[in-house]
Amino acid sequence: MRCPRFAALPRLYRPALAAALAVLPSAVMSAQPRDVLSDTWTATDALGRELPGFHECGPPRAGRQVGIFYFLWLGEHAGGQGPFDNSKILAADPNAINDKDHPLWGPMHAFHHWGEPLFGYYQTDDAYVLRKHAQMLSDAGIDVIIFDVTNQITYRRWYLALLDAFAQVRSSGASTPQVAFLCPFWDPPRVVRELYRDLYAPGIHPELWYRWEGKPLILADPNRLPIGEGNAAHDAPVALAVGHTLGQSFVTDKAVIAVGASCPTWKERDSAVTVTLYRGGPAGEPLEARRFEAVRDNAWLMVETHPPLPPGSYYLELSDASGRIGWWSHSKDVYAHGQAYADGAEVAGDRTLRLLAADDETTAIRDFFTFRTPEASYFAGPSRPDMWSWLEVHPQHVFQNSRGEKEQMSVGVAQNAVGNRLGSMSEPDARGRSFHNGARDARPGAVNLGLNFAEQWERALEEDPQFVFVTGWNEWIAMRFDEFAGIKAPVMFVDQFDQEHSRDIEPMRGGHGDNYYYQLVAYIRRYKGVRRPPAAGPPVPIDLDGDFGQWTDVTPEFRDDIGDEARRDHPGYNHCAQYTNTTGRNDFVTLKVARDESLVYFYAQTREPITPHTDPHWMLLYIDADSNSATGWQGFDFVVNRTVRDGEATVLEAREAEEWRERAAVPWRVSGRELMLAIPRTELGLNVPAESVRFRFKWADNTQRDDDTDEFILNGDAAPNGRFCYVYASEP
């Protein structure tokens, strides 16, 4: 949904249009996606960890949402350099970290990858990658991807490419996450206004906007949004004694939507104060008041005004102090429009004062969004309600909303924290993937286990907030420095460094592979709950000489995303390669299973007519007959169609001694978009009554290499996606 002529609208009508788009329900703007029931699928990762299901997680829980930090910048800052891969550099020469002039490093301030993504060194506008991200994150249960625009760049070209790709995915009936933005922590006005003007006000893809409390969510401090006036000059803190007041008068010639004071607490965390706004002076009419608890040192305590204050004379007062708190002030008269007060009487000098002036666009923006103020610190926790974290050290804080509810917590894979200070990931003591219980786990292979990630998730499950913000999905790059936060070293990387000291969940080539992805899926399931898998229908025989209409009433229906077969042709990062993929062939749509006393029948339907069986890697059916991931290949005990004969039979092969060996001929039939085949139950070891059965299965077409689970993501099409499997069970 777009409005290309938005710019031609009279300015008077733009806020009204934007406001209407903000509150439109998603159901009005997009058709209901085709539910593939991904939360009922099972999978086992490379470490043998099986996804929890209904019996472990329970049913879906209302009011639980998960977002993940997402990065748009891959390609934006290449500048004709790279990719430089730190993992490969250090593998070639581990001592390179101590040599700033080592030829393997890129130039100072050049971006370096910490490792190679599964999809290669891609650019953010690669539609193939974007569609895969949409699919993987939706399958995992991610509700919203939150774009990083904290560095004052909105990456408009790149987010538009993503929105278009996600819209294409949705047009095929598949699901995608929604989108939101994390804006600069301390200086968000320009970015917020740019996003509003470029994306939200014109109504570009409103079906993809993530809504919180009924409006599009934006992570930005609303009290820093408008153009500010007042006085920031100060030379000393003035303490507020219990039972006393401090004040500052001011005159404004503009409408004002918030007023505040900068308050020191001398680093104490139990300080509290009431901030009251009066008309005129200390004896004037009280207009607004707000109590602030657990005030952070030097925080600006802002009182919002509803409606905006008209131009005039006003007075701001601090009172009812608890703990140690004060007001940053200046001993001289530095603010021409007001006067400092103590206990209602004028005193020399002025106090700090922030006035947030209103204009039409600011008013429209504040009405359009649900704001949550992002907290930058990994250590401090919230300083007021309606704040959200993006990354913290364990144990993470709970961030409450203005109603006192446990609204949000962050969960991170790793943190560039060294002890209790902000540090660089390249520092040896940074909290990497293996950090937990206060130290790095030194066991070989610990980096593959997600120990830091698990510790943070367990904390979030214990507190059970309404929203969990995961950091992160696909940052991948960091600038090279030689100094950060007062620490110097020959080679430094702040947010990403190597496999251990990185925090991306998107699968990598080699290393931990997709372990963190399935760990993410497992914890989201434990947090949000899952649906009970559909039970197998009653036994029913299928006549392979009959028509395919026999399958119409067979239940359950197993589904795959439509239009997800692999198609790619896009340059990589800094044009390092032209990534092409033409393996997309037979696109699975619907799969079914039936059974009787002697046979198990399988059915596959594709989007287009099925290609000839002489094609390589054609319509492979994998079966985990014993539902045991420790047997066979990746749990699969049998495969069909790996070897296909001319005529009316294909081949069932069994996994024996780490090889596929022919077991039996299997009758099959193909017509147009449909295929069916029948396998004797005895060949699968299903020697139980027809009423009782349980096994796992998946289909794949045109994978390029045998015995490689990455093929289920990268090439052809797989149903279900990746390592996931369908479960066919009479008693799920």
Side-chain angles (χ1 to χ4, degrees):
M1 192 174 168
R2 293 177 179 266
C3 187
R5 293 189 174 88
F6 176 81
L9 286 172
R11 187 173 298 274
L12 174 65
Y13 300 120
R14 297 185 196 178
L17 173 60
L21 290 168
V23 298
L24 277 176
S26 298
V28 173
M29 296 182 290
S30 62
Q32 190 71 19
R34 183 172 184 261
D35 188 358
V36 296
L37 285 82
S38 60
D39 60 331
T40 69
W41 302 342
T42 187
T44 304
D45 71 7
L47 299 173
R49 300 179 299 191
E50 187 168 323
L51 289 180
F54 180 83
H55 295 294
E56 296 87 357
C57 303
R61 305 173 64 224
R64 295 298 180 271
Q65 298 272 289
V66 180
I68 196 165
F69 213 16
Y70 191 99
F71 297 82
L72 297 162
W73 65 349
L74 294 173
E76 173 75 12
H77 305 295
Q81 298 175 325
F84 307 108
D85 187 323
N86 290 351
S87 292
K88 293 178 180 178
I89 292 171
L90 295 171
D93 186 353
N95 291 322
I97 190 64
N98 300 313
D99 183 0
K100 67 181 181 64
D101 297 319
H102 198 289
L104 291 177
W105 295 117
M108 187 65 67
H109 302 142
F111 282 88
H112 289 55
H113 284 71
W114 66 260
E116 183 176 2
L118 176 62
F119 300 120
Y121 302 107
Y122 63 84
Q123 295 192 118
T124 297
D125 60 349
D126 189 332
Y128 163 88
V129 175
L130 295 173
R131 291 192 298 268
K132 288 293 185 181
H133 285 178
Q135 182 180 74
M136 295 173 73
L137 294 171
S138 292
D139 290 345
I142 292 292
D143 299 286
V144 54
I145 59 175
I146 300 175
F147 298 135
D148 177 20
V149 291
T150 57
N151 59 0
Q152 296 291 338
I153 302 173
T154 63
Y155 302 103
R156 182 174 187 271
R157 166 193 164 191
W158 309 91
Y159 74 64
L160 288 177
L162 181 143
L163 294 175
D164 287 342
F166 277 28
Q168 182 184 33
V169 170
R170 289 194 173 200
S171 70
S172 69
S175 298
T176 77
Q178 309 293 110
V179 302
F181 293 82
L182 172 56
C183 299
F185 297 102
W186 301 283
D187 188 21
R190 189 186 65 79
V191 166
V192 173
R193 291 180 188 275
E194 189 172 322
L195 291 172
Y196 180 74
R197 293 167 182 169
D198 291 349
L199 174 64
Y200 289 101
I204 298 176
H205 290 303
E207 76 280 6
L208 294 173
W209 303 343
Y210 182 71
R211 289 165 170 79
W212 189 257
E213 296 186 344
K215 296 181 181 180
L217 173 71
I218 194 163
L219 300 183
D221 186 346
N223 292 328
R224 295 179 182 268
L225 176 60
I227 299 172
E229 296 182 344
N231 170 45
H234 60 274
D235 60 10
V238 176
L240 174 61
V242 175
H244 294 263
T245 66
L246 296 174
Q248 176 71 34
S249 66
F250 62 94
V251 178
T252 177
D253 60 358
K254 296 182 176 65
V256 173
I257 56 178
V259 183
S262 177
C263 296
T265 65
W266 292 268
K267 297 186 177 181
E268 294 188 6
R269 292 302 307 270
D270 59 351
S271 304
V273 72
T274 297
V275 183
T276 306
L277 178 65
Y278 294 85
R279 192 185 307 279
E285 173 192 2
L287 301 175
E288 302 281 353
R290 181 175 175 183
R291 182 71 176 173
F292 293 87
E293 305 283 350
V295 177
R296 187 173 303 169
D297 196 23
N298 304 323
W300 281 95
L301 307 185
M302 304 298 296
V303 175
E304 297 186 3
T305 61
H306 304 283
L309 291 180
S313 298
Y314 300 94
Y315 174 75
L316 191 69
E317 183 178 84
L318 270 59
S319 63
D320 301 322
S322 176
R324 194 178 185 192
I325 195 165
W327 195 335
W328 278 106
S329 305
H330 204 289
S331 57
K332 297 181 180 180
D333 186 7
V334 293
Y335 181 54
H337 304 292
Q339 177 65 51
Y341 283 75
D343 293 329
E346 293 186 9
V347 295
D350 285 300
R351 311 206 188 281
T352 52
L353 190 71
R354 177 177 286 173
L355 307 181
L356 301 183
D359 55 58
D360 289 344
E361 185 178 58
T362 298
T363 301
I365 289 173
R366 290 171 68 92
D367 289 341
F368 182 84
F369 292 106
T370 294
F371 284 88
R372 288 296 182 263
T373 299
E375 172 53 60
S377 172
Y378 301 166
F379 313 98
S383 59
R384 63 178 190 269
D386 295 335
M387 298 184 73
W388 282 17
S389 61
W390 71 284
L391 185 65
E392 290 195 303
V393 298
H394 181 270
Q396 313 94 284
H397 296 87
V398 177
F399 285 67
Q400 296 183 340
N401 58 26
S402 57
R403 297 182 295 275
E405 299 166 339
K406 292 182 178 181
E407 187 172 83
Q408 189 267 350
M409 291 179 69
S410 60
V411 165
V413 172
Q415 304 80 33
N416 55 307
V418 180
N420 292 318
R421 66 170 174 85
L422 179 67
S424 298
M425 279 294 201
S426 53
E427 294 184 61
D429 294 330
R431 302 189 183 204
R433 295 175 184 262
S434 305
F435 188 94
H436 70 125
N437 293 332
R440 178 180 176 181
D441 195 311
R443 291 176 294 168
V447 67
N448 300 317
L449 304 178
L451 300 170
N452 190 327
F453 196 35
E455 183 176 62
Q456 293 230 328
W457 260 114
E458 293 295 337
R459 165 72 175 160
L461 293 178
E462 177 185 351
E463 293 293 342
D464 194 25
Q466 298 171 17
F467 190 101
V468 172
F469 187 159
V470 178
T471 292
W473 178 248
N474 64 332
E475 190 170 5
W476 286 114
I477 56 176
M479 291 179 69
R480 179 189 165 191
F481 295 100
D482 58 4
E483 181 178 0
F484 177 74
I487 305 298
K488 294 184 178 182
V491 180
M492 298 188 76
F493 294 92
V494 178
D495 289 307
Q496 305 276 4
F497 174 50
D498 58 11
Q499 183 189 357
E500 169 66 30
H501 300 95
S502 55
R503 55 191 183 219
D504 290 324
I505 294 169
E506 183 185 5
M508 69 178 296
R509 289 186 184 270
H512 54 253
D514 54 13
N515 288 352
Y516 283 82
Y517 173 69
Y518 290 98
Q519 187 181 22
L520 172 72
V521 177
Y523 272 109
I524 291 177
R525 288 184 174 192
R526 290 178 59 191
Y527 170 64
K528 295 175 67 173
V530 299
R531 289 169 289 184
R532 188 184 294 274
V540 56
I542 298 292
D543 180 4
L544 292 192
D545 293 325
D547 61 41
F548 283 89
Q550 300 172 87
W551 288 94
T552 301
D553 296 327
V554 171
T555 58
E557 178 182 277
F558 299 98
R559 296 176 174 177
D560 186 45
D561 294 318
I562 301 173
D564 65 333
E565 73 277 25
R567 305 283 187 196
R568 187 182 191 185
D569 187 12
H570 201 85
Y573 188 95
N574 192 33
H575 295 268
C576 64
Q578 184 71 22
Y579 290 113
T580 59
N581 190 326
T582 59
T583 61
R585 192 173 61 193
N586 293 307
D587 181 15
F588 295 105
V589 175
T590 300
L591 304 310
K592 292 187 177 185
V593 179
R595 69 194 189 282
D596 59 22
E597 292 290 343
S598 59
L599 297 166
V600 178
Y601 309 90
F602 291 87
Y603 167 88
Q605 181 191 79
T606 58
R607 185 176 52 154
E608 303 292 340
I610 297 172
T611 62
H613 69 270
T614 53
D615 287 345
H617 306 99
W618 180 81
M619 299 293 286
L620 301 170
L621 170 62
Y622 293 91
I623 303 169
D624 177 3
D626 59 5
S627 297
N628 184 352
S629 61
T631 61
W633 172 70
Q634 301 295 326
F636 296 117
D637 309 294
F638 302 94
V639 64
V640 182
N641 289 336
R642 184 174 172 273
T643 303
V644 184
R645 294 174 177 165
D646 290 332
E648 298 180 352
T650 183
V651 177
L652 171 72
E653 295 175 271
R655 189 72 172 183
E656 298 175 0
E658 298 186 0
E659 294 182 353
W660 293 113
R661 297 182 179 177
E662 184 172 335
R663 172 66 68 85
V666 172
W668 62 284
R669 182 179 168 204
V670 175
S671 178
R673 301 187 300 122
E674 298 174 291
L675 177 154
M676 58 180 169
L677 55 85
I679 304 175
R681 295 170 64 100
T682 54
E683 295 292 351
L684 299 177
L686 300 176
N687 302 314
V688 293
E691 289 76 14
S692 177
V693 65
R694 182 180 186 88
F695 59 84
R696 305 167 183 172
F697 70 100
K698 80 180 292 107
W699 290 82
D701 180 74
N702 210 19
T703 52
Q704 300 298 291
R705 293 180 295 176
D706 290 336
D707 298 354
D708 185 350
T709 56
D710 287 344
E711 288 292 310
F712 297 142
I713 283 290
L714 292 173
N715 293 311
D717 189 27
N721 310 309
R723 292 179 183 266
F724 290 111
C725 295
Y726 300 120
V727 178
Y728 182 75
S730 52
E731 297 180 2

